[in-house]
Amino acid sequence: MRVLAVASECFPLVKTGGLADVVGALPGALAAEGIGVTTLLPGYPAVLSALEGGEAVREWPELFGGPARLLRGATAGLDLIVLEAAHLYGRPGNPYLGPDGQDWADNPIRFAALGRAAAEAAEGFGIVHAHDWQAGLAGAYLRGARPLVFTIHNLAFQGRYPAELFPRLGLPAEAFAVEGLEYFGGVGFLKAGLHYADRITTVSPTYAAEIRTPEGGMGLDGLLRHRAAAVSGILNGLDTAEWNPATDQHLAARFSLAEPEARAANRAVLQARFGLGEGGPLFLFVGRLAWQKGIDLVLDALPALLAEGGLLAILGTGDRALEARCREAAAVNPGRVGAVIGFDEGLARLGYGGADAVLVPSRFEPCGLAQLCALRYGAPPVVTRVGGLADTVIDANEAALAAGAATGVQFAPPSAEALAGALRRTAALWRDSPAWAAMRRNALAADVSWARSAGRYADLFKDLVNG
Ligand SMILES: Nc1ncnc2c1ncn2[C@@H]1O[C@H](COP(=O)(O)OP(=O)(O)O[C@H]2O[C@H](CO)[C@@H](O)[C@H](O)[C@H]2O)[C@@H](O)[C@H]1O
């Protein structure tokens, strides 16, 4: 079976977050299940320059305002179809944002083109697998021509635009309906994905349940309850060849479950990179600086962290006000708090491989990869008990400690007070050297690979095709 995956980012070509990691890793994971994946991506400069082969398989003299082609090729072990359309994607920098940090004004057209291209590229594929709102219109253009699976990586990004967009999309008038892509009087890209898909997946079982409730549904819970029979949660994994502390060149010292002590050299380099002095435990936060990720809770709980003798390294980019708060926390706590505002894959990996513990205090988290990276690199994660965080971390409660099963610390609800309590509990565990070493070993031994989940996607695809 061949699957056409459709997405707006894909590691290692273009990445702003976890979507790219998943889209980049699934083809390799599914190959082991006998499923071939070809990935359709927008032709950003970084994608076009990496593409090898690049044979034109489809041309449009005019696609949403300019000429466009579909180029079929490969790179980095990925089989690709790239939508080359200079008027839509021939821009430097971030795939979604202009240099001013604002969304590109023509994003709805840029990603409508991706959906339209998906429908035209789908011939010859058994299934189309669309990811997140940017690929949401694929179903509207396909109109049932191929079985469609839609995966929600984050319900918070919905791609909602005014009704005036609709006539520009070249879709039949009846598509602008509740039984279509109409959403609160406008055009909803994610809504379209949910409506037209034969199966809807999201990236953890707990999030699959949360999004069917008014509290977690972000306005779409009614539709998701209506489609409940089609919804399931399949946990993300990590490409464990790519994320391997025994071979990772971004680390100052490589290590493994057999020799976790070598992490100490990474910790020393991490302290230097973030301007941190002596002390501990050393907590790391890596992620988008956004309300979802709860970085504000970390800053509010900072007194508790510092009272325990803790150190804090923050790596992230996003909301300007949160960036400013992180910089300020570093400025008023020299040697204790360090902040690097930016996106730096190598520094993130050094962090996972050197920090004592990784903070993931998200208010909601569809799956979360930061905690999987932390487990894989032997830094027990401290997480809120929500979404995929609840599904992937075993809390160091008395029973788990007694059974030798704990891999991290969970807390609830997502508040500064609860986080402060979790920080105190983590620091006490860290001071208990044997207990901490055991938890670190459990983290390093946790199975965060795609093995089980690839099988679940394969079953879902086969089930759908065989009816
Ligand atoms: N400043 C920075 N520098 C370097 N690396 C950085 C970075 N900021 C983030 N990263 C990296 O980007 C990835 C973030 O992935 P997550 O899954 O944790 O969150 P994201 O919200 O992007 O993904 C959404 O989609 C994924 C995929 O399904 C879901 O797991 C998740 O819950 C959902 O919110 C990790 O690999 C992390 O190391």
Side-chain angles (χ1 to χ4, degrees), residues 144 148 252 287 342 380 393 449:
L148 175 68
V393 176
S449 77

Side-chain angles (χ1 to χ4, degrees), residues 15-19 21-22 153-154 203 236 243 286-288 292-293 315-317 342-345 348 352 365-370 373:
K15 167 170 169 176
T16 71
L19 171 64
D21 290 308
V22 173
H153 295 267
N154 197 334
V203 289
N236 286 337
W243 289 89
V286 179
R288 286 184 290 114
Q292 174 191 349
K293 301 291 179 181
L315 169 60
T317 173
F343 193 96
D344 186 334
E345 178 90 21
Y352 294 127
E365 197 59 80
C367 178
L369 297 178
C373 300

Side-chain angles (χ1 to χ4, degrees), residues 114-202:
L114 183 66
R116 166 106 190 262
E120 302 212 14
E123 201 183 319
F125 290 93
I127 284 188
V128 175
H129 185 188
H131 296 268
D132 265 357
W133 76 264
Q134 297 90 348
L137 290 198
Y141 287 106
L142 270 168
R143 290 199 282 284
R146 285 286 175 284
L148 175 68
V149 176
F150 184 80
T151 294
I152 304 165
H153 295 267
N154 197 334
L155 204 59
F157 301 110
Q158 301 190 346
R160 278 179 72 173
Y161 297 100
E164 292 70 58
L165 173 67
F166 183 73
R168 300 179 62 194
L169 299 177
L171 287 164
E174 59 268 25
F176 193 71
V178 174
E179 295 286 315
L181 50 67
E182 190 268 330
Y183 185 48
F184 289 116
V187 173
F189 278 55
L190 184 78
K191 151 70 192 330
L194 301 181
H195 172 75
Y196 289 102
D198 298 290
R199 295 280 195 286
I200 298 164
T201 74
T202 187

Side-chain angles (χ1 to χ4, degrees), residues 299 302 321-334 337 339:
L299 298 171
L302 199 52
L322 289 170
E323 289 181 352
R325 278 194 70 192
C326 291
R327 283 201 187 90
E328 191 195 322
V332 300
N333 296 289
V337 177

